[in-house]
Amino acid sequence: MRDYREFLAEILIPEDRLQARVQELGAAISRDFAGKDLMLVCILRGGVMFLADLMRVLSVPHTVDFMAVSSYGAGVRSTTGQVRISLDLTTSIEGRNVLIVEDIIDSGFTLASVLELLSARRPHSLQVCTLLDKAERRETEVPIAYCGFVIPNKFVFGYGLDLDEYYRNLPFVGVVQPEKFFAP
Ligand code: IMP
Ligand code: MG
């Protein structure tokens, strides 16, 4: 795989701003869940960087579990709105206060499906914490309790988000130059 600098258009959110915002979100969640039971459900794979940093700044006891869903095939566009559960949780969410930790909400189809599926398992509460929100791309309404950044309609990568599965490790969120990355 190529060096990301070949197709990086701009750094949208640098590392220090990401970390500062994660601190703020962690403080808000810690306040809201003080004295309550909390379970974080991370949506793989994009949510892992955010989850790992968020967990470290939470001051309330909590458990974590993981699930994987896919709405995107080889390309980058959600076409049908169909979401496939490729890895399910291994613990019960019944009666728990569940906070879904997601990297980005685009059309909203992924999260809408996950919310529908999980609410059927009778959690005590079910909320969403997303690092990024491409609000102008929304096609189905999803409630967001905690949001890191509302971003413009650009394809981004880094800090958990991938380009064909690579570059998730980058500590910042960058914008891709599509004509440079997707050109044959
Ligand atoms: P939605 O179902 O359209 O909301 O898509 C959400 C999922 O699409 C996210 O969990 C990401 O995996 C992926 N996605 C959407 N936009 C981007 C992007 O700009 N970069 C990387 N992945 C993205
Ligand atoms: Mg994702």
Side-chain angles (χ1 to χ4, degrees), residues 1-2 6-8 72-77 134 154-157 162-165 167 175-184:
M1 263 292 165
R2 290 170 290 157
E6 291 175 27
F7 44 79
L8 176 72
Y72 286 73
V76 296
R77 285 282 152 104
K134 261 189 214 177
K154 292 176 174 172
F155 207 79
V156 293
F157 67 105
D162 70 301
L163 287 175
D164 290 350
E165 293 301 327
Y167 315 111
V175 176
V176 71
Q177 272 183 281
E179 68 280 8
K180 295 217 172 135
F181 183 76
F182 298 105

mmCIF file of all heavy atoms in Angstrom, residues 1-2 6-8 72-77 134 154-157 162-165 167 175-184:
data_model
loop_
_atom_site.group_PDB
_atom_site.id
_atom_site.type_symbol
_atom_site.label_atom_id
_atom_site.label_comp_id
_atom_site.label_asym_id
_atom_site.label_seq_id
_atom_site.Cartn_x
_atom_site.Cartn_y
_atom_site.Cartn_z
ATOM 1 N N MET A 1 0.833 -1.208 0.000
ATOM 2 C CA MET A 1 0.000 0.000 0.000
ATOM 3 C C MET A 1 0.868 1.259 0.000
ATOM 4 O O MET A 1 1.945 1.270 0.587
ATOM 5 C CB MET A 1 -0.930 0.010 1.218
ATOM 6 C CG MET A 1 -2.313 -0.500 0.888
ATOM 7 S SD MET A 1 -3.202 0.615 -0.209
ATOM 8 C CE MET A 1 -4.535 -0.456 -0.742
ATOM 9 N N ARG A 2 0.335 2.262 -0.613
ATOM 10 C CA ARG A 2 1.121 3.490 -0.785
ATOM 11 C C ARG A 2 1.181 4.332 0.490
ATOM 12 O O ARG A 2 0.375 4.171 1.387
ATOM 13 C CB ARG A 2 0.495 4.327 -1.908
ATOM 14 C CG ARG A 2 0.676 3.720 -3.285
ATOM 15 C CD ARG A 2 -0.164 4.457 -4.298
ATOM 16 N NE ARG A 2 -1.591 4.202 -4.101
ATOM 17 C CZ ARG A 2 -2.558 5.013 -4.514
ATOM 18 N NH1 ARG A 2 -2.258 6.139 -5.117
ATOM 19 N NH2 ARG A 2 -3.817 4.705 -4.320
ATOM 20 N N GLU A 6 0.601 10.535 -0.467
ATOM 21 C CA GLU A 6 0.372 10.630 -1.917
ATOM 22 C C GLU A 6 -1.062 11.051 -2.254
ATOM 23 O O GLU A 6 -1.322 11.511 -3.363
ATOM 24 C CB GLU A 6 0.667 9.277 -2.594
ATOM 25 C CG GLU A 6 2.138 8.905 -2.583
ATOM 26 C CD GLU A 6 2.368 7.507 -3.145
ATOM 27 O OE1 GLU A 6 1.554 7.039 -3.969
ATOM 28 O OE2 GLU A 6 3.368 6.883 -2.746
ATOM 29 N N PHE A 7 -1.988 10.838 -1.303
ATOM 30 C CA PHE A 7 -3.389 11.171 -1.629
ATOM 31 C C PHE A 7 -4.085 11.926 -0.506
ATOM 32 O O PHE A 7 -5.305 12.040 -0.497
ATOM 33 C CB PHE A 7 -4.171 9.905 -1.988
ATOM 34 C CG PHE A 7 -3.908 8.764 -1.059
ATOM 35 C CD1 PHE A 7 -4.518 8.720 0.175
ATOM 36 C CD2 PHE A 7 -3.029 7.748 -1.422
ATOM 37 C CE1 PHE A 7 -4.266 7.691 1.039
ATOM 38 C CE2 PHE A 7 -2.766 6.703 -0.543
ATOM 39 C CZ PHE A 7 -3.384 6.670 0.688
ATOM 40 N N LEU A 8 -3.317 12.418 0.458
ATOM 41 C CA LEU A 8 -3.898 13.220 1.536
ATOM 42 C C LEU A 8 -4.178 14.636 1.019
ATOM 43 O O LEU A 8 -3.273 15.334 0.579
ATOM 44 C CB LEU A 8 -2.926 13.289 2.720
ATOM 45 C CG LEU A 8 -3.342 14.182 3.897
ATOM 46 C CD1 LEU A 8 -4.490 13.562 4.692
ATOM 47 C CD2 LEU A 8 -2.147 14.430 4.826
ATOM 48 N N TYR A 72 -20.882 -1.410 3.489
ATOM 49 C CA TYR A 72 -20.088 -1.054 2.323
ATOM 50 C C TYR A 72 -19.384 -2.298 1.793
ATOM 51 O O TYR A 72 -18.842 -3.065 2.564
ATOM 52 C CB TYR A 72 -19.012 -0.018 2.689
ATOM 53 C CG TYR A 72 -19.571 1.354 2.908
ATOM 54 C CD1 TYR A 72 -20.302 1.657 4.061
ATOM 55 C CD2 TYR A 72 -19.395 2.345 1.970
ATOM 56 C CE1 TYR A 72 -20.830 2.906 4.268
ATOM 57 C CE2 TYR A 72 -19.920 3.600 2.165
ATOM 58 C CZ TYR A 72 -20.633 3.878 3.314
ATOM 59 O OH TYR A 72 -21.153 5.122 3.514
ATOM 60 N N GLY A 73 -19.376 -2.464 0.475
ATOM 61 C CA GLY A 73 -18.651 -3.562 -0.135
ATOM 62 C C GLY A 73 -17.231 -3.131 -0.400
ATOM 63 O O GLY A 73 -16.583 -2.532 0.440
ATOM 64 N N ALA A 74 -16.768 -3.406 -1.604
ATOM 65 C CA ALA A 74 -15.403 -3.046 -1.953
ATOM 66 C C ALA A 74 -15.276 -1.536 -2.135
ATOM 67 O O ALA A 74 -14.229 -0.963 -1.907
ATOM 68 C CB ALA A 74 -14.986 -3.768 -3.229
ATOM 69 N N GLY A 75 -16.371 -0.901 -2.538
ATOM 70 C CA GLY A 75 -16.325 0.538 -2.792
ATOM 71 C C GLY A 75 -16.535 1.333 -1.528
ATOM 72 O O GLY A 75 -16.399 0.834 -0.424
ATOM 73 N N VAL A 76 -16.887 2.577 -1.672
ATOM 74 C CA VAL A 76 -17.021 3.431 -0.494
ATOM 75 C C VAL A 76 -18.442 3.954 -0.327
ATOM 76 O O VAL A 76 -18.726 4.648 0.626
ATOM 77 C CB VAL A 76 -16.044 4.630 -0.557
ATOM 78 C CG1 VAL A 76 -14.612 4.130 -0.513
ATOM 79 C CG2 VAL A 76 -16.279 5.472 -1.794
ATOM 80 N N ARG A 77 -19.342 3.621 -1.241
ATOM 81 C CA ARG A 77 -20.702 4.142 -1.167
ATOM 82 C C ARG A 77 -21.676 3.099 -0.646
ATOM 83 O O ARG A 77 -21.641 1.948 -1.051
ATOM 84 C CB ARG A 77 -21.173 4.582 -2.574
ATOM 85 C CG ARG A 77 -20.546 5.880 -3.036
ATOM 86 C CD ARG A 77 -21.241 7.045 -2.342
ATOM 87 N NE ARG A 77 -20.342 8.188 -2.207
ATOM 88 C CZ ARG A 77 -20.405 9.278 -2.952
ATOM 89 N NH1 ARG A 77 -21.313 9.397 -3.855
ATOM 90 N NH2 ARG A 77 -19.550 10.260 -2.746
ATOM 91 N N LYS A 134 -21.271 12.925 9.460
ATOM 92 C CA LYS A 134 -21.409 13.570 8.146
ATOM 93 C C LYS A 134 -22.882 13.917 7.996
ATOM 94 O O LYS A 134 -23.622 13.268 7.246
ATOM 95 C CB LYS A 134 -21.018 12.576 7.046
ATOM 96 C CG LYS A 134 -19.619 12.725 6.508
ATOM 97 C CD LYS A 134 -19.445 11.840 5.287
ATOM 98 C CE LYS A 134 -18.044 11.306 5.220
ATOM 99 N NZ LYS A 134 -17.852 10.378 4.078
ATOM 100 N N LYS A 154 -16.962 14.779 2.862
ATOM 101 C CA LYS A 154 -15.704 14.405 2.218
ATOM 102 C C LYS A 154 -15.321 13.043 2.724
ATOM 103 O O LYS A 154 -15.682 12.686 3.857
ATOM 104 C CB LYS A 154 -14.602 15.405 2.585
ATOM 105 C CG LYS A 154 -14.821 16.782 1.998
ATOM 106 C CD LYS A 154 -13.753 17.741 2.472
ATOM 107 C CE LYS A 154 -13.916 19.077 1.741
ATOM 108 N NZ LYS A 154 -13.019 20.107 2.295
ATOM 109 N N PHE A 155 -14.602 12.261 1.900
ATOM 110 C CA PHE A 155 -14.204 10.937 2.371
ATOM 111 C C PHE A 155 -12.956 11.060 3.222
ATOM 112 O O PHE A 155 -11.955 11.604 2.792
ATOM 113 C CB PHE A 155 -13.994 9.957 1.213
ATOM 114 C CG PHE A 155 -14.229 8.546 1.663
ATOM 115 C CD1 PHE A 155 -15.514 8.059 1.804
ATOM 116 C CD2 PHE A 155 -13.159 7.727 2.002
ATOM 117 C CE1 PHE A 155 -15.745 6.769 2.277
ATOM 118 C CE2 PHE A 155 -13.382 6.433 2.470
ATOM 119 C CZ PHE A 155 -14.671 5.950 2.606
ATOM 120 N N VAL A 156 -13.062 10.558 4.446
ATOM 121 C CA VAL A 156 -11.976 10.726 5.409
ATOM 122 C C VAL A 156 -11.368 9.385 5.804
ATOM 123 O O VAL A 156 -11.980 8.332 5.630
ATOM 124 C CB VAL A 156 -12.469 11.479 6.673
ATOM 125 C CG1 VAL A 156 -12.838 12.912 6.322
ATOM 126 C CG2 VAL A 156 -13.650 10.760 7.316
ATOM 127 N N PHE A 157 -10.155 9.445 6.338
ATOM 128 C CA PHE A 157 -9.470 8.234 6.789
ATOM 129 C C PHE A 157 -8.557 8.569 7.959
ATOM 130 O O PHE A 157 -8.261 9.733 8.223
ATOM 131 C CB PHE A 157 -8.688 7.585 5.633
ATOM 132 C CG PHE A 157 -7.508 8.397 5.141
ATOM 133 C CD1 PHE A 157 -6.209 8.036 5.458
ATOM 134 C CD2 PHE A 157 -7.706 9.528 4.365
ATOM 135 C CE1 PHE A 157 -5.116 8.774 5.004
ATOM 136 C CE2 PHE A 157 -6.623 10.276 3.909
ATOM 137 C CZ PHE A 157 -5.331 9.902 4.229
ATOM 138 N N ASP A 162 -10.798 3.616 7.582
ATOM 139 C CA ASP A 162 -9.903 3.002 6.604
ATOM 140 C C ASP A 162 -10.117 3.498 5.185
ATOM 141 O O ASP A 162 -11.157 4.062 4.833
ATOM 142 C CB ASP A 162 -10.113 1.492 6.592
ATOM 143 C CG ASP A 162 -11.472 1.121 5.980
ATOM 144 O OD1 ASP A 162 -12.501 1.583 6.509
ATOM 145 O OD2 ASP A 162 -11.498 0.411 4.952
ATOM 146 N N LEU A 163 -9.089 3.236 4.397
ATOM 147 C CA LEU A 163 -9.209 3.301 2.936
ATOM 148 C C LEU A 163 -8.834 1.905 2.474
ATOM 149 O O LEU A 163 -7.679 1.496 2.643
ATOM 150 C CB LEU A 163 -8.226 4.314 2.342
ATOM 151 C CG LEU A 163 -8.544 5.794 2.545
ATOM 152 C CD1 LEU A 163 -7.408 6.646 2.015
ATOM 153 C CD2 LEU A 163 -9.853 6.157 1.853
ATOM 154 N N ASP A 164 -9.800 1.161 1.983
ATOM 155 C CA ASP A 164 -9.568 -0.245 1.635
ATOM 156 C C ASP A 164 -8.821 -0.986 2.741
ATOM 157 O O ASP A 164 -7.880 -1.735 2.478
ATOM 158 C CB ASP A 164 -8.818 -0.367 0.298
ATOM 159 C CG ASP A 164 -9.705 0.046 -0.876
ATOM 160 O OD1 ASP A 164 -10.920 0.226 -0.664
ATOM 161 O OD2 ASP A 164 -9.175 0.193 -1.983
ATOM 162 N N GLU A 165 -9.260 -0.768 3.961
ATOM 163 C CA GLU A 165 -8.760 -1.452 5.169
ATOM 164 C C GLU A 165 -7.407 -0.960 5.695
ATOM 165 O O GLU A 165 -6.954 -1.382 6.758
ATOM 166 C CB GLU A 165 -8.714 -2.984 4.985
ATOM 167 C CG GLU A 165 -10.096 -3.621 4.852
ATOM 168 C CD GLU A 165 -10.982 -3.356 6.071
ATOM 169 O OE1 GLU A 165 -10.461 -3.266 7.185
ATOM 170 O OE2 GLU A 165 -12.211 -3.213 5.885
ATOM 171 N N TYR A 167 -4.575 2.260 6.757
ATOM 172 C CA TYR A 167 -4.420 3.614 7.323
ATOM 173 C C TYR A 167 -5.266 3.900 8.562
ATOM 174 O O TYR A 167 -5.390 5.042 8.983
ATOM 175 C CB TYR A 167 -4.699 4.698 6.255
ATOM 176 C CG TYR A 167 -4.050 4.408 4.931
ATOM 177 C CD1 TYR A 167 -4.816 4.083 3.810
ATOM 178 C CD2 TYR A 167 -2.665 4.418 4.810
ATOM 179 C CE1 TYR A 167 -4.224 3.791 2.595
ATOM 180 C CE2 TYR A 167 -2.058 4.118 3.596
ATOM 181 C CZ TYR A 167 -2.840 3.804 2.499
ATOM 182 O OH TYR A 167 -2.264 3.514 1.314
ATOM 183 N N VAL A 175 -8.456 13.971 4.951
ATOM 184 C CA VAL A 175 -9.359 13.927 3.796
ATOM 185 C C VAL A 175 -8.592 13.350 2.615
ATOM 186 O O VAL A 175 -7.445 13.737 2.366
ATOM 187 C CB VAL A 175 -9.864 15.340 3.431
ATOM 188 C CG1 VAL A 175 -10.732 15.304 2.169
ATOM 189 C CG2 VAL A 175 -10.649 15.936 4.591
ATOM 190 N N VAL A 176 -9.230 12.419 1.913
ATOM 191 C CA VAL A 176 -8.577 11.800 0.759
ATOM 192 C C VAL A 176 -8.837 12.616 -0.505
ATOM 193 O O VAL A 176 -9.905 13.220 -0.659
ATOM 194 C CB VAL A 176 -9.049 10.344 0.580
ATOM 195 C CG1 VAL A 176 -10.478 10.265 0.098
ATOM 196 C CG2 VAL A 176 -8.125 9.580 -0.360
ATOM 197 N N GLN A 177 -7.846 12.656 -1.374
ATOM 198 C CA GLN A 177 -8.039 13.211 -2.720
ATOM 199 C C GLN A 177 -8.474 12.033 -3.581
ATOM 200 O O GLN A 177 -7.640 11.218 -3.979
ATOM 201 C CB GLN A 177 -6.715 13.762 -3.254
ATOM 202 C CG GLN A 177 -6.433 15.195 -2.884
ATOM 203 C CD GLN A 177 -5.144 15.669 -3.504
ATOM 204 O OE1 GLN A 177 -4.080 15.346 -2.992
ATOM 205 N NE2 GLN A 177 -5.216 16.403 -4.583
ATOM 206 N N PRO A 178 -9.777 11.920 -3.882
ATOM 207 C CA PRO A 178 -10.291 10.708 -4.539
ATOM 208 C C PRO A 178 -9.584 10.405 -5.857
ATOM 209 O O PRO A 178 -9.291 9.249 -6.150
ATOM 210 C CB PRO A 178 -11.771 11.020 -4.768
ATOM 211 C CG PRO A 178 -12.085 12.162 -3.880
ATOM 212 C CD PRO A 178 -10.828 12.931 -3.685
ATOM 213 N N GLU A 179 -9.327 11.446 -6.637
ATOM 214 C CA GLU A 179 -8.727 11.193 -7.952
ATOM 215 C C GLU A 179 -7.305 10.643 -7.819
ATOM 216 O O GLU A 179 -6.819 9.968 -8.724
ATOM 217 C CB GLU A 179 -8.756 12.466 -8.814
ATOM 218 C CG GLU A 179 -7.866 13.608 -8.343
ATOM 219 C CD GLU A 179 -8.476 14.421 -7.191
ATOM 220 O OE1 GLU A 179 -9.523 14.028 -6.650
ATOM 221 O OE2 GLU A 179 -7.869 15.435 -6.807
ATOM 222 N N LYS A 180 -6.688 10.874 -6.693
ATOM 223 C CA LYS A 180 -5.338 10.319 -6.481
ATOM 224 C C LYS A 180 -5.388 8.922 -5.889
ATOM 225 O O LYS A 180 -4.576 8.075 -6.213
ATOM 226 C CB LYS A 180 -4.523 11.245 -5.581
ATOM 227 C CG LYS A 180 -4.253 12.588 -6.234
ATOM 228 C CD LYS A 180 -2.879 13.098 -5.903
ATOM 229 C CE LYS A 180 -2.578 14.343 -6.735
ATOM 230 N NZ LYS A 180 -1.980 15.400 -5.936
ATOM 231 N N PHE A 181 -6.364 8.682 -4.971
ATOM 232 C CA PHE A 181 -6.417 7.358 -4.326
ATOM 233 C C PHE A 181 -7.098 6.328 -5.201
ATOM 234 O O PHE A 181 -6.643 5.192 -5.306
ATOM 235 C CB PHE A 181 -7.133 7.413 -2.981
ATOM 236 C CG PHE A 181 -7.142 6.087 -2.275
ATOM 237 C CD1 PHE A 181 -6.002 5.609 -1.650
ATOM 238 C CD2 PHE A 181 -8.283 5.277 -2.289
ATOM 239 C CE1 PHE A 181 -5.988 4.353 -1.033
ATOM 240 C CE2 PHE A 181 -8.271 4.026 -1.675
ATOM 241 C CZ PHE A 181 -7.131 3.576 -1.049
ATOM 242 N N PHE A 182 -8.224 6.689 -5.827
ATOM 243 C CA PHE A 182 -9.026 5.709 -6.543
ATOM 244 C C PHE A 182 -8.647 5.562 -8.010
ATOM 245 O O PHE A 182 -9.164 4.684 -8.683
ATOM 246 C CB PHE A 182 -10.511 6.023 -6.397
ATOM 247 C CG PHE A 182 -10.976 5.956 -4.958
ATOM 248 C CD1 PHE A 182 -11.221 7.116 -4.238
ATOM 249 C CD2 PHE A 182 -11.118 4.735 -4.323
ATOM 250 C CE1 PHE A 182 -11.637 7.051 -2.904
ATOM 251 C CE2 PHE A 182 -11.523 4.657 -3.002
ATOM 252 C CZ PHE A 182 -11.773 5.821 -2.282
ATOM 253 N N ALA A 183 -7.762 6.397 -8.503
ATOM 254 C CA ALA A 183 -7.308 6.249 -9.881
ATOM 255 C C ALA A 183 -6.578 4.919 -10.042
ATOM 256 O O ALA A 183 -5.900 4.483 -9.126
ATOM 257 C CB ALA A 183 -6.385 7.405 -10.239
ATOM 258 N N PRO A 184 -6.748 4.240 -11.195
ATOM 259 C CA PRO A 184 -6.122 2.942 -11.389
ATOM 260 C C PRO A 184 -4.587 3.025 -11.400
ATOM 261 O O PRO A 184 -4.044 4.075 -11.638
ATOM 262 C CB PRO A 184 -6.656 2.469 -12.734
ATOM 263 C CG PRO A 184 -7.171 3.683 -13.420
ATOM 264 C CD PRO A 184 -7.502 4.674 -12.366
#
